[in-house]
Coordinates of all heavy atoms in Angstrom, one line a residue:
M80 N 11.0 0.9 -16.5 CA 11.2 0.4 -15.1 C 10.2 1.2 -14.2 O 10.1 2.4 -14.3 CB 12.6 0.6 -14.7 CG 12.9 0.2 -13.3 SD 14.7 0.0 -12.8 CE 15.4 1.4 -13.5
E81 N 9.5 0.5 -13.4 CA 8.6 1.1 -12.4 C 9.2 0.9 -11.0 O 9.5 -0.2 -10.6 CB 7.3 0.3 -12.4 CG 6.5 0.4 -13.7 CD 5.8 1.8 -13.9 OE1 5.5 2.4 -12.9 OE2 5.7 2.2 -15.1
I82 N 9.4 2.0 -10.3 CA 9.9 2.0 -9.0 C 8.9 2.6 -8.0 O 8.3 3.7 -8.3 CB 11.2 2.9 -8.9 CG1 12.3 2.3 -9.8 CG2 11.8 2.9 -7.4 CD1 13.6 3.1 -9.9
K83 N 8.7 1.9 -6.9 CA 7.8 2.4 -5.9 C 8.6 2.5 -4.6 O 9.3 1.6 -4.2 CB 6.6 1.5 -5.7 CG 5.7 1.5 -6.9 CD 4.5 0.5 -6.7 CE 3.6 0.5 -7.9 NZ 2.5 -0.4 -7.8
I84 N 8.4 3.7 -3.9 CA 8.9 3.9 -2.6 C 7.8 3.7 -1.6 O 6.8 4.4 -1.7 CB 9.5 5.3 -2.4 CG1 10.4 5.7 -3.6 CG2 10.2 5.5 -1.0 CD1 11.6 4.9 -3.7
L85 N 7.9 2.7 -0.7 CA 6.8 2.5 0.2 C 7.1 3.1 1.6 O 8.2 2.9 2.1 CB 6.6 1.0 0.4 CG 6.5 0.1 -0.8 CD1 6.4 -1.4 -0.4 CD2 5.4 0.5 -1.7
G86 N 6.2 4.0 2.1 CA 6.4 4.6 3.4 C 5.5 5.7 3.6 O 4.9 6.3 2.6
M87 N 5.3 6.0 4.8 CA 4.3 7.0 5.2 C 4.8 8.4 5.4 O 4.2 9.3 6.0 CB 3.5 6.6 6.4 CG 2.5 5.5 6.2 SD 2.8 3.8 6.7 CE 3.8 3.9 8.1
G88 N 6.1 8.7 5.0 CA 6.6 10.0 5.1 C 7.6 10.2 6.2 O 8.0 11.3 6.5
C89 N 8.1 9.1 6.8 CA 9.2 9.2 7.8 C 10.5 9.7 7.2 O 10.6 9.8 5.9 CB 9.4 7.9 8.5 SG 10.2 6.6 7.4
A90 N 11.4 10.1 8.0 CA 12.7 10.7 7.5 C 13.4 9.7 6.6 O 13.9 10.1 5.5 CB 13.6 11.1 8.6
N91 N 13.4 8.4 6.9 CA 14.1 7.4 6.1 C 13.4 7.2 4.7 O 14.0 7.0 3.7 CB 14.2 6.1 6.8 CG 15.4 6.1 7.8 OD1 16.3 6.9 7.7 ND2 15.3 5.2 8.8
C92 N 12.1 7.3 4.8 CA 11.3 7.2 3.5 C 11.6 8.3 2.6 O 11.8 8.1 1.4 CB 9.8 7.1 3.8 SG 9.3 5.8 4.9
E93 N 11.6 9.5 3.1 CA 12.0 10.7 2.4 C 13.4 10.6 1.8 O 13.7 11.0 0.7 CB 11.8 12.0 3.2 CG 10.4 12.2 3.7 CD 9.4 12.5 2.6 OE1 9.8 13.1 1.6 OE2 8.2 12.2 2.8
K94 N 14.3 10.1 2.6 CA 15.7 10.0 2.2 C 15.8 9.0 1.1 O 16.5 9.3 0.1 CB 16.6 9.5 3.4 CG 18.0 9.4 3.1 CD 18.8 9.0 4.3 CE 20.3 8.9 3.9 NZ 21.1 8.5 5.1
L95 N 15.1 7.9 1.2 CA 15.2 6.9 0.1 C 14.6 7.4 -1.2 O 15.2 7.2 -2.3 CB 14.5 5.6 0.5 CG 14.4 4.5 -0.5 CD1 15.8 4.1 -0.9 CD2 13.6 3.3 0.0
E96 N 13.6 8.2 -1.1 CA 13.0 8.8 -2.3 C 14.0 9.7 -3.0 O 14.2 9.7 -4.2 CB 11.7 9.5 -1.9 CG 11.0 10.1 -3.2 CD 9.8 10.9 -2.8 OE1 9.6 11.3 -1.6 OE2 8.9 11.1 -3.7
R97 N 14.6 10.6 -2.2 CA 15.6 11.5 -2.7 C 16.8 10.7 -3.4 O 17.3 11.1 -4.5 CB 16.2 12.4 -1.7 CG 15.3 13.6 -1.3 CD 16.0 14.6 -0.4 NE 16.7 14.1 0.7 CZ 16.1 13.8 1.9 NH1 14.8 14.1 2.1 NH2 16.8 13.3 2.9
M98 N 17.2 9.7 -2.7 CA 18.3 8.9 -3.2 C 18.0 8.2 -4.5 O 18.8 8.1 -5.4 CB 18.7 7.8 -2.2 CG 19.5 8.4 -1.0 SD 19.8 7.1 0.3 CE 21.1 6.1 -0.6
V99 N 16.8 7.7 -4.7 CA 16.3 7.1 -5.9 C 16.4 8.1 -7.0 O 16.9 7.8 -8.1 CB 14.9 6.5 -5.8 CG1 14.3 6.1 -7.1 CG2 15.0 5.2 -4.9
F100 N 15.8 9.3 -6.8 CA 15.8 10.3 -7.9 C 17.2 10.7 -8.2 O 17.6 10.9 -9.4 CB 15.0 11.5 -7.5 CG 13.5 11.3 -7.7 CD1 12.6 11.3 -6.6 CD2 13.0 11.2 -8.9 CE1 11.3 11.1 -6.7 CE2 11.6 11.0 -9.1 CZ 10.7 10.9 -8.0
N101 N 18.1 10.9 -7.2 CA 19.5 11.3 -7.5 C 20.2 10.2 -8.3 O 21.0 10.5 -9.2 CB 20.2 11.5 -6.2 CG 19.8 12.8 -5.5 OD1 19.2 13.7 -6.2 ND2 20.0 13.0 -4.3
A102 N 20.0 8.9 -7.9 CA 20.7 7.8 -8.6 C 20.2 7.7 -10.0 O 21.1 7.5 -10.9 CB 20.4 6.5 -7.8
L103 N 18.9 7.8 -10.2 CA 18.4 7.8 -11.6 C 19.0 8.9 -12.5 O 19.4 8.6 -13.6 CB 16.9 7.9 -11.6 CG 16.1 6.6 -11.1 CD1 14.7 7.0 -10.9 CD2 16.3 5.4 -12.0
A104 N 19.1 10.1 -11.9 CA 19.7 11.2 -12.6 C 21.2 10.9 -12.9 O 21.6 11.2 -14.1 CB 19.5 12.5 -11.8
E105 N 21.9 10.5 -11.9 CA 23.4 10.3 -12.1 C 23.6 9.1 -13.1 O 24.6 9.2 -13.9 CB 24.0 9.9 -10.8 CG 24.2 11.1 -9.9 CD 25.0 10.8 -8.6 OE1 25.7 9.8 -8.6 OE2 24.7 11.5 -7.6
L106 N 22.8 8.1 -13.1 CA 23.0 7.0 -14.0 C 22.3 7.2 -15.4 O 22.4 6.4 -16.3 CB 22.4 5.7 -13.4 CG 23.1 5.3 -12.0 CD1 22.3 4.2 -11.4 CD2 24.5 4.8 -12.3
N107 N 21.6 8.3 -15.5 CA 20.9 8.6 -16.7 C 19.9 7.5 -17.1 O 19.9 7.1 -18.3 CB 21.8 9.0 -17.9 CG 21.1 9.7 -19.0 OD1 20.2 10.4 -18.8 ND2 21.7 9.6 -20.2
I108 N 19.1 7.1 -16.1 CA 18.1 6.0 -16.4 C 16.8 6.6 -16.2 O 16.5 7.3 -15.2 CB 18.4 4.9 -15.4 CG1 19.7 4.2 -15.7 CG2 17.2 3.9 -15.4 CD1 20.1 3.1 -14.7
D109 N 15.9 6.3 -17.1 CA 14.5 6.8 -17.1 C 13.6 5.7 -16.4 O 13.7 4.5 -16.7 CB 14.0 7.0 -18.5 CG 12.7 7.7 -18.5 OD1 12.4 8.5 -17.6 OD2 11.8 7.4 -19.4
A110 N 12.9 6.2 -15.4 CA 12.0 5.2 -14.7 C 10.8 6.0 -14.2 O 10.9 7.2 -13.9 CB 12.7 4.6 -13.5
N111 N 9.7 5.3 -14.0 CA 8.5 5.9 -13.3 C 8.7 5.7 -11.9 O 8.8 4.5 -11.4 CB 7.2 5.3 -13.9 CG 6.9 5.7 -15.3 OD1 7.1 6.8 -15.7 ND2 6.3 4.8 -16.0
V112 N 8.7 6.7 -11.1 CA 8.8 6.6 -9.6 C 7.5 7.0 -9.0 O 7.0 8.1 -9.3 CB 10.0 7.5 -9.1 CG1 10.1 7.3 -7.6 CG2 11.3 7.1 -9.8
Q113 N 7.1 6.2 -8.1 CA 5.8 6.5 -7.4 C 6.0 6.3 -5.9 O 6.7 5.4 -5.5 CB 4.7 5.5 -7.9 CG 3.4 5.6 -7.2 CD 2.4 4.6 -7.7 OE1 2.7 3.7 -8.5 NE2 1.2 4.6 -7.2
K114 N 5.5 7.2 -5.1 CA 5.5 7.1 -3.7 C 4.2 6.5 -3.2 O 3.1 7.0 -3.5 CB 5.8 8.4 -3.0 CG 6.0 8.3 -1.6 CD 6.6 9.6 -1.0 CE 7.0 9.5 0.4 NZ 7.5 10.7 0.9
V115 N 4.3 5.4 -2.4 CA 3.1 4.7 -1.9 C 3.0 5.0 -0.4 O 3.9 4.5 0.3 CB 3.1 3.2 -2.2 CG1 1.9 2.6 -1.7 CG2 3.2 3.0 -3.7
Q116 N 2.0 5.7 0.0 CA 1.8 6.0 1.4 C 0.6 5.4 2.1 O 0.5 5.4 3.3 CB 1.8 7.6 1.6 CG 3.1 8.3 1.2 CD 3.0 9.8 1.5 OE1 2.2 10.4 0.8 NE2 3.8 10.2 2.4
D117 N -0.2 4.7 1.3 CA -1.4 4.1 1.8 C -1.0 2.8 2.5 O -0.5 1.9 1.8 CB -2.3 3.8 0.6 CG -3.6 3.2 1.0 OD1 -4.3 3.9 1.8 OD2 -4.0 2.2 0.5
I118 N -1.4 2.7 3.7 CA -1.0 1.5 4.6 C -1.5 0.2 4.0 O -0.7 -0.8 3.8 CB -1.4 1.7 6.0 CG1 -0.6 2.8 6.6 CG2 -1.1 0.4 6.8 CD1 -1.0 3.2 8.0
P119 N -2.8 0.1 3.6 CA -3.2 -1.2 3.0 C -2.5 -1.5 1.7 O -2.2 -2.7 1.5 CB -4.7 -0.9 2.7 CG -5.1 0.1 3.7 CD -3.9 1.0 3.8
E120 N -2.1 -0.5 0.9 CA -1.3 -0.8 -0.3 C 0.1 -1.3 0.0 O 0.6 -2.2 -0.6 CB -1.3 0.5 -1.1 CG -0.7 0.3 -2.5 CD -1.5 -0.5 -3.5 OE1 -2.8 -0.6 -3.3 OE2 -1.0 -1.1 -4.4
I121 N 0.7 -0.7 1.0 CA 2.0 -1.1 1.5 C 1.9 -2.6 2.0 O 2.8 -3.4 1.7 CB 2.6 -0.2 2.6 CG1 2.9 1.2 2.0 CG2 3.8 -0.8 3.2 CD1 3.2 2.3 3.0
M122 N 0.9 -2.9 2.7 CA 0.7 -4.2 3.3 C 0.6 -5.3 2.2 O 1.0 -6.4 2.3 CB -0.5 -4.3 4.2 CG -0.4 -3.4 5.4 SD 0.8 -3.9 6.6 CE -0.1 -5.2 7.4
K123 N 0.0 -4.9 1.0 CA -0.1 -5.8 -0.1 C 1.3 -6.4 -0.5 O 1.3 -7.5 -1.1 CB -0.8 -5.2 -1.3 CG -2.3 -4.9 -1.1 CD -2.8 -4.3 -2.3 CE -4.3 -3.9 -2.1 NZ -4.8 -3.1 -3.3
Y124 N 2.3 -5.6 -0.3 CA 3.7 -6.1 -0.7 C 4.3 -6.9 0.4 O 5.4 -7.4 0.2 CB 4.5 -4.9 -1.0 CG 4.1 -4.2 -2.3 CD1 3.3 -3.1 -2.3 CD2 4.6 -4.7 -3.5 CE1 3.0 -2.5 -3.5 CE2 4.2 -4.1 -4.7 CZ 3.4 -3.0 -4.7 OH 3.0 -2.4 -5.9
G125 N 3.7 -7.0 1.5 CA 4.2 -7.8 2.6 C 5.3 -7.1 3.4 O 6.0 -7.7 4.2
V126 N 5.4 -5.8 3.2 CA 6.4 -5.0 3.9 C 5.9 -4.6 5.2 O 4.8 -3.9 5.4 CB 6.7 -3.7 3.0 CG1 7.6 -2.7 3.8 CG2 7.4 -4.1 1.7
M127 N 6.6 -5.0 6.3 CA 6.2 -4.7 7.6 C 6.9 -3.5 8.2 O 6.5 -2.9 9.2 CB 6.4 -5.9 8.5 CG 5.5 -7.0 8.1 SD 3.8 -6.6 8.2 CE 3.0 -8.1 7.8
S128 N 8.1 -3.2 7.7 CA 8.8 -2.0 8.2 C 9.3 -1.2 7.0 O 9.8 -1.7 6.0 CB 10.0 -2.4 9.1 OG 10.9 -3.2 8.4
T129 N 9.1 0.1 7.0 CA 9.4 1.0 5.9 C 10.8 1.7 6.2 O 11.2 1.7 7.4 CB 8.3 2.1 5.8 OG1 8.2 2.8 7.0 CG2 7.0 1.4 5.3
P130 N 11.4 2.2 5.2 CA 11.0 2.3 3.9 C 11.1 1.0 3.1 O 11.9 0.1 3.5 CB 11.9 3.4 3.3 CG 13.2 3.2 4.0 CD 12.8 2.8 5.4
G131 N 10.3 0.9 2.0 CA 10.4 -0.2 1.2 C 10.7 0.2 -0.3 O 10.3 1.3 -0.7
L132 N 11.5 -0.6 -1.0 CA 11.8 -0.3 -2.4 C 11.3 -1.4 -3.2 O 11.6 -2.6 -3.0 CB 13.3 -0.1 -2.5 CG 13.8 0.1 -4.0 CD1 13.4 1.5 -4.4 CD2 15.3 0.0 -4.0
V133 N 10.4 -1.1 -4.2 CA 9.8 -2.1 -5.1 C 10.2 -1.7 -6.5 O 10.0 -0.5 -6.9 CB 8.3 -2.1 -4.9 CG1 7.6 -3.0 -5.9 CG2 7.9 -2.5 -3.5
I134 N 10.7 -2.6 -7.2 CA 11.1 -2.4 -8.6 C 10.3 -3.4 -9.5 O 10.5 -4.6 -9.2 CB 12.6 -2.4 -8.9 CG1 13.3 -1.3 -8.1 CG2 12.9 -2.2 -10.4 CD1 14.8 -1.3 -8.2
D135 N 9.6 -2.9 -10.4 CA 8.8 -3.8 -11.3 C 8.0 -4.8 -10.5 O 8.0 -6.0 -10.8 CB 9.7 -4.4 -12.4 CG 10.3 -3.4 -13.3 OD1 9.7 -2.4 -13.6 OD2 11.4 -3.6 -13.8
E136 N 7.3 -4.3 -9.5 CA 6.4 -5.1 -8.6 C 7.1 -6.1 -7.8 O 6.5 -7.0 -7.2 CB 5.3 -5.7 -9.4 CG 4.3 -4.7 -10.0 CD 3.7 -3.7 -9.0 OE1 3.2 -4.2 -8.0 OE2 3.8 -2.5 -9.1
K137 N 8.4 -6.1 -7.6 CA 9.2 -7.0 -6.8 C 9.8 -6.2 -5.6 O 10.5 -5.2 -5.8 CB 10.3 -7.7 -7.6 CG 11.1 -8.7 -6.7 CD 12.1 -9.4 -7.6 CE 12.9 -10.3 -6.7 NZ 14.2 -10.6 -7.2
V138 N 9.6 -6.6 -4.4 CA 10.1 -6.0 -3.2 C 11.6 -6.3 -3.2 O 12.1 -7.4 -3.2 CB 9.5 -6.5 -1.9 CG1 10.2 -5.8 -0.7 CG2 8.0 -6.2 -1.9
I139 N 12.4 -5.2 -3.3 CA 13.9 -5.3 -3.3 C 14.5 -5.2 -1.9 O 15.4 -6.0 -1.6 CB 14.5 -4.3 -4.2 CG1 13.9 -4.3 -5.6 CG2 16.0 -4.4 -4.3 CD1 14.0 -5.7 -6.3
L140 N 14.0 -4.3 -1.1 CA 14.4 -4.2 0.3 C 13.4 -3.5 1.1 O 12.5 -2.8 0.6 CB 15.8 -3.5 0.4 CG 15.9 -2.0 -0.2 CD1 15.5 -1.0 0.9 CD2 17.4 -1.8 -0.5
S141 N 13.5 -3.6 2.4 CA 12.5 -2.9 3.3 C 13.2 -2.8 4.7 O 14.1 -3.6 5.0 CB 11.2 -3.7 3.4 OG 11.4 -4.9 4.1
G142 N 12.8 -1.8 5.4 CA 13.2 -1.5 6.7 C 14.6 -0.8 6.9 O 15.1 -0.7 8.0
R143 N 15.1 -0.4 5.7 CA 16.4 0.2 5.8 C 16.7 1.1 4.6 O 16.0 0.9 3.6 CB 17.6 -0.8 6.0 CG 17.8 -1.6 4.8 CD 18.9 -2.7 5.0 NE 19.1 -3.5 3.8 CZ 19.9 -3.2 2.9 NH1 20.7 -2.1 2.9 NH2 20.1 -4.0 1.8
V144 N 17.6 2.0 4.7 CA 18.0 2.8 3.6 C 19.4 2.3 3.1 O 20.3 2.2 3.9 CB 18.2 4.3 4.0 CG1 18.7 5.1 2.8 CG2 16.8 4.8 4.5
P145 N 19.5 1.9 1.8 CA 20.8 1.3 1.3 C 21.8 2.4 1.2 O 21.5 3.6 1.2 CB 20.4 0.8 0.0 CG 19.2 1.6 -0.5 CD 18.5 2.0 0.8
S146 N 23.0 2.0 1.0 CA 24.1 3.0 0.7 C 23.9 3.5 -0.7 O 23.2 2.8 -1.5 CB 25.5 2.3 0.8 OG 25.6 1.4 -0.2
K147 N 24.5 4.6 -1.1 CA 24.4 5.1 -2.4 C 24.9 4.0 -3.4 O 24.2 3.8 -4.4 CB 25.2 6.4 -2.6 CG 25.2 7.0 -3.9 CD 26.0 8.2 -4.0 CE 26.0 8.7 -5.5 NZ 27.0 9.8 -5.7
A148 N 26.0 3.4 -3.1 CA 26.6 2.4 -4.1 C 25.6 1.2 -4.2 O 25.4 0.7 -5.3 CB 27.9 2.0 -3.5
E149 N 25.0 0.7 -3.1 CA 24.1 -0.4 -3.2 C 22.9 0.0 -4.0 O 22.5 -0.8 -4.8 CB 23.7 -0.8 -1.8 CG 22.8 -2.0 -1.7 CD 22.3 -2.4 -0.4 OE1 22.6 -1.7 0.6 OE2 21.6 -3.4 -0.3
L150 N 22.4 1.1 -3.8 CA 21.2 1.6 -4.5 C 21.5 1.7 -6.0 O 20.7 1.2 -6.8 CB 20.6 2.9 -4.0 CG 19.4 3.4 -4.7 CD1 18.2 2.5 -4.5 CD2 19.0 4.8 -4.1
E151 N 22.6 2.2 -6.4 CA 23.0 2.4 -7.8 C 23.1 1.0 -8.4 O 22.7 0.7 -9.5 CB 24.2 3.2 -7.9 CG 24.0 4.7 -7.7 CD 25.2 5.5 -7.8 OE1 26.4 5.0 -7.9 OE2 25.1 6.8 -7.7
K152 N 23.7 0.0 -7.7 CA 23.9 -1.3 -8.2 C 22.5 -2.0 -8.4 O 22.3 -2.6 -9.4 CB 24.7 -2.1 -7.2 CG 25.0 -3.6 -7.6 CD 25.8 -4.3 -6.6 CE 26.0 -5.8 -7.1 NZ 26.1 -6.7 -6.0
I153 N 21.6 -1.8 -7.5 CA 20.3 -2.4 -7.6 C 19.6 -1.8 -8.8 O 19.0 -2.6 -9.6 CB 19.4 -2.1 -6.3 CG1 19.9 -2.9 -5.1 CG2 18.0 -2.3 -6.6 CD1 19.4 -2.5 -3.8
I154 N 19.6 -0.5 -9.0 CA 19.0 0.1 -10.1 C 19.6 -0.3 -11.4 O 18.9 -0.7 -12.4 CB 19.0 1.7 -10.0 CG1 18.1 2.1 -8.8 CG2 18.6 2.4 -11.3 CD1 18.1 3.6 -8.5
L155 N 20.9 -0.4 -11.5 CA 21.6 -0.8 -12.7 C 21.2 -2.3 -13.1 O 20.9 -2.6 -14.2 CB 23.1 -0.7 -12.6 CG 23.6 0.7 -12.8 CD1 25.1 0.7 -12.4 CD2 23.4 1.2 -14.2
E156 N 21.1 -3.1 -12.1 CA 20.8 -4.5 -12.3 C 19.4 -4.7 -12.9 O 19.1 -5.5 -13.8 CB 20.8 -5.3 -11.0 CG 22.2 -5.6 -10.6 CD 22.3 -6.3 -9.2 OE1 21.2 -6.5 -8.5 OE2 23.4 -6.6 -8.7
H157 N 18.4 -3.9 -12.4 CA 17.1 -3.9 -12.9 C 16.9 -3.2 -14.2 O 15.9 -3.5 -15.0 CB 16.1 -3.5 -11.8 CG 16.0 -4.5 -10.7 ND1 16.9 -4.5 -9.7 CD2 15.2 -5.5 -10.5 CE1 16.6 -5.5 -8.9 NE2 15.5 -6.1 -9.3
A158 N 17.7 -2.2 -14.5 CA 17.6 -1.4 -15.7 C 18.0 -2.3 -16.9 O 17.6 -2.1 -18.0 CB 18.4 -0.2 -15.6
N159 N 18.9 -3.3 -16.6 CA 19.5 -4.1 -17.7 C 18.6 -5.3 -18.0 O 19.0 -6.2 -18.7 CB 20.9 -4.5 -17.4 CG 21.8 -3.3 -17.4 OD1 21.6 -2.3 -18.1 ND2 22.8 -3.3 -16.5
K160 N 17.5 -5.5 -17.3 CA 16.6 -6.6 -17.6 C 15.7 -6.4 -18.7 O 15.2 -5.4 -19.0 CB 15.8 -7.0 -16.3 CG 16.7 -7.6 -15.3 CD 15.9 -8.0 -14.1 CE 16.9 -8.7 -13.0 NZ 16.2 -9.1 -11.9

């Protein structure tokens, strides 16, 4: 599973990145996590407000930080594909 965190380093972007790493560790799921801070690269995904969460090249959410439970559910759904 490939996970990308889209954002230029704002507090919410940093929070989402920490939450993703914590969720992966708690769920014992292996994934490649990449932080994308390049504005043109973020724009390629059509994300206009950060943070953005991309899993396997699909934009899952943008402009908000999900709850811990929501994030874990999203990761589990994509890990089982």
Side-chain angles (χ1 to χ4, degrees):
M80 178 167 43
E81 298 283 330
I82 299 176
K83 294 180 181 177
I84 312 296
L85 310 180
M87 283 109 26
C89 68
N91 281 339
C92 301
E93 299 293 330
K94 180 177 181 181
L95 179 58
E96 182 181 23
R97 282 192 309 275
M98 288 177 68
V99 166
F100 280 112
N101 289 340
L103 290 170
E105 285 183 26
L106 298 169
N107 197 27
I108 293 174
D109 189 34
N111 288 325
V112 180
Q113 178 182 1
K114 188 166 185 180
V115 178
Q116 294 182 296
D117 183 55
I118 294 172
E120 189 67 25
I121 292 170
M122 298 291 281
K123 287 180 187 176
Y124 289 98
V126 171
M127 295 301 184
S128 60
T129 58
L132 178 67
V133 175
I134 299 179
D135 295 330
E136 293 303 309
K137 181 180 176 200
V138 176
I139 305 301
L140 61 85
S141 68
R143 67 183 181 89
V144 176
S146 68
K147 178 182 176 189
E149 181 184 6
L150 180 60
E151 288 179 351
K152 181 179 177 208
I153 289 168
I154 290 172
L155 282 171
E156 286 173 358
H157 289 85
N159 294 326
K160 287 187 179 180

